């Protein structure tokens, strides 16, 4: 017990934030959450694009400038961290004063090298309103499109990457004190050993933000964590540790629902297909697994495309469908060049 207490007291971590500097009071809430932590960070690294300015500061930050981009800013922030651990987060979340302490305790107790809080709290910290079960309609849609398949049956994993390139947080249990390992996670907030985060070489994945229709980096999370899985990642959600997503939404360029669909369909079609090729098909260890990966990928691609077409068979939605097929076209061009 004394060893654990001393370990917590000597915890060395940096906070790494990517931002455009314009989320207002929601960014203030994040910085105040950091300021209130029971264990203070060694430094706060704020990564912002050239030409942008922060509208709020604690005065403790080290501001780093780089080219604009969700992947670029995340990669630069990780590279700048020199502490043993890093709390990596977006600029529009809020959490309790003991969040880092609880994440670190959970990480040590379960022999992890990455640990995450769950989104889902009300205004009073600690009240449990998290529901890990999805509706029947959501599960049916997820299975049809290949985006919600646990893959390994009665697994201890909270979430499993599948051959259809799907990834959802899902578990048939509400045992909140049980440690469910996971293989991908939400990018909004996670606590990780810095050396492991750097080993992902996330700067190599700028393709995620380079689509011709949008720079929205869909599938950035499974790409990052898939690389770490190959390096022996042990990661889990601390199901009782929560944060609140304030959803600033400042990075979204859509001005209407049709435009939002175009961006979503294009980025998912393009990035999901490339992700499947690079991190599911290419990394399959045997010929048999490659065949399984190929069949799974075709299943996910075909069913997602069919479902998208069915729900957009109206003239004013045809632009959204054209964006979907443009995404698939660009993904195949990328794969062809990368071979």
């Amino acid at each position: 017990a004394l060893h654990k207490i001393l370990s917590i007291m000597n915890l060395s971590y940096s906070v790494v934030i990517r931002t455009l500097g314009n989320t207002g009071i929601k960014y203030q809430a994040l910085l105040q959450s950091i300021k209130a932590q029971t264990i203070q960070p060694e430094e706060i690294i704020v990564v912002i694009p050239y030409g942008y300015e922060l509208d709020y500061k604690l005065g403790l930050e080290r501001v780093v400038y780089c080219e604009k981009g969700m992947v670029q800013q995340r990669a630069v922030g990780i590279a700048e961290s020199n502490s043993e651990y890093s709390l990596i987060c977006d600029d529009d979340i809020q959490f309790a004063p003991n969040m880092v302490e609880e994440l670190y305790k959970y990480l040590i107790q379960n022999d992890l090298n990455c640990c995450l809080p769950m989104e889902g709290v009300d205004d009073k910290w600690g009240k449990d309103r998290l529901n890990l079960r999805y509706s029947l309609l959501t599960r049916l849609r997820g299975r049809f499109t290949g985006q919600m398949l646990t893959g390994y049956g009665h697994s201890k994993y909270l979430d499993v990457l599948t051959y259809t390139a799907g990834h959802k947080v899902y578990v048939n249990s509400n045992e909140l004190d049980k440690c469910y390992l996971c293989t991908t996670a939400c990018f909004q907030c996670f606590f990780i050993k810095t050396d492991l985060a750097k080993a992902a070489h996330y700067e190599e994945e700028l393709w995620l933000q380079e689509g011709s229709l949008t720079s929205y980096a869909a599938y950035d999370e499974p790409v990052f964590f898939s690389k770490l899985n190959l390096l022996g990642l042990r990661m889990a959600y601390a199901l009782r540790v929560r944060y609140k997503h304030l959803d600033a939404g400042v990075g979204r360029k859509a001005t209407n629902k049709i435009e939002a669909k175009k961006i979503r369909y294009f980025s998912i079609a393009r990035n999901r297909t490339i992700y499947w090729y690079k991190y599911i098909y290419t990394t399959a260890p045997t010929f048999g697994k490659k065949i399984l990966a190929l069949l799974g990928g075709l299943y996910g691609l075909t069913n997602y495309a069919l479902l998208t077409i069915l729900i957009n068979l109206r003239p004013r939605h045809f632009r959204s469908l054209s964006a979907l097929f443009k995404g698939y076209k660009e993904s195949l061009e990328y794969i062809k060049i990368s071979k």
Side-chain angles (χ1 to χ4, degrees), residues 70-111:
M70 295 169 65
V71 177
Q72 180 87 339
Q73 288 176 247
R74 185 71 91 208
V76 168
I78 291 171
E80 289 287 330
S81 179
N82 293 311
S83 302
E84 183 178 3
Y85 292 91
S86 294
L87 177 69
I88 299 173
C89 51
D90 287 347
D91 60 356
D92 57 354
I93 63 172
Q94 184 180 27
F95 39 81
N98 66 342
M99 188 190 77
V100 171
E101 181 177 346
E102 291 303 311
L103 288 177
Y104 182 62
K105 286 179 182 177
Y106 194 82
L107 181 143
I108 295 299
Q109 289 168 358
N110 294 286
D111 191 26

Side-chain angles (χ1 to χ4, degrees), residues 231-335:
L231 298 173
L233 174 70
R234 274 185 60 84
M235 176 173 69
Y237 283 91
L239 298 179
R240 291 194 181 277
V241 183
R242 308 295 167 76
Y243 72 95
K244 189 173 185 178
H245 183 210
L246 305 176
D247 197 11
V250 296
R252 299 172 189 155
K253 297 181 179 179
T255 56
N256 55 63
K257 290 184 178 180
I258 299 296
E259 189 66 24
K261 275 190 174 183
K262 284 179 62 178
I263 291 173
R264 184 170 73 254
Y265 291 159
F266 172 84
S267 56
I268 289 177
R270 178 186 181 274
N271 289 5
R272 179 181 175 182
T273 305
I274 297 172
Y275 159 72
W276 166 84
Y277 175 76
K278 292 185 70 170
Y279 294 106
I280 295 182
Y281 178 76
T282 303
T283 61
T286 65
F287 177 76
K289 291 288 180 68
K290 284 190 182 294
I291 294 298
L292 187 59
L294 181 62
L295 293 175
L298 289 173
Y299 172 88
L301 182 151
T302 303
N303 285 14
Y304 182 77
L306 286 174
L307 184 63
T308 304
I309 291 169
L310 286 173
I311 63 178
N312 287 282
L313 284 178
R314 288 165 287 176
R316 72 190 195 95
H317 289 265
F318 287 168
R319 285 186 299 144
S320 301
L321 290 179
S322 67
L324 175 79
F325 291 109
K326 186 178 179 63
Y328 283 130
K329 180 183 177 183
E330 289 196 14
S331 70
L332 295 176
E333 290 172 350
Y334 178 93
I335 291 170

Side-chain angles (χ1 to χ4, degrees), residues 184-202:
T184 191
C186 180
F187 239 19
Q188 289 170 0
C189 183
F190 59 101
F191 186 74
I192 188 170
K193 289 208 66 143
T194 302
D195 286 348
L196 183 63
K198 290 183 177 183
H201 293 291
Y202 201 45

Side-chain angles (χ1 to χ4, degrees), residues 29-30 32-34 36-37 93-99 117-129 240-246:
L30 168 62
Q32 290 302 323
S33 295
I34 296 168
Q37 287 304 293
I93 63 172
Q94 184 180 27
F95 39 81
N98 66 342
M99 188 190 77
M118 289 292 293
E119 180 186 354
V121 294
D122 64 8
D123 291 333
K124 294 182 180 179
W125 298 113
K127 185 175 180 180
D128 182 11
R129 69 174 183 83
R240 291 194 181 277
V241 183
R242 308 295 167 76
Y243 72 95
K244 189 173 185 178
H245 183 210
L246 305 176

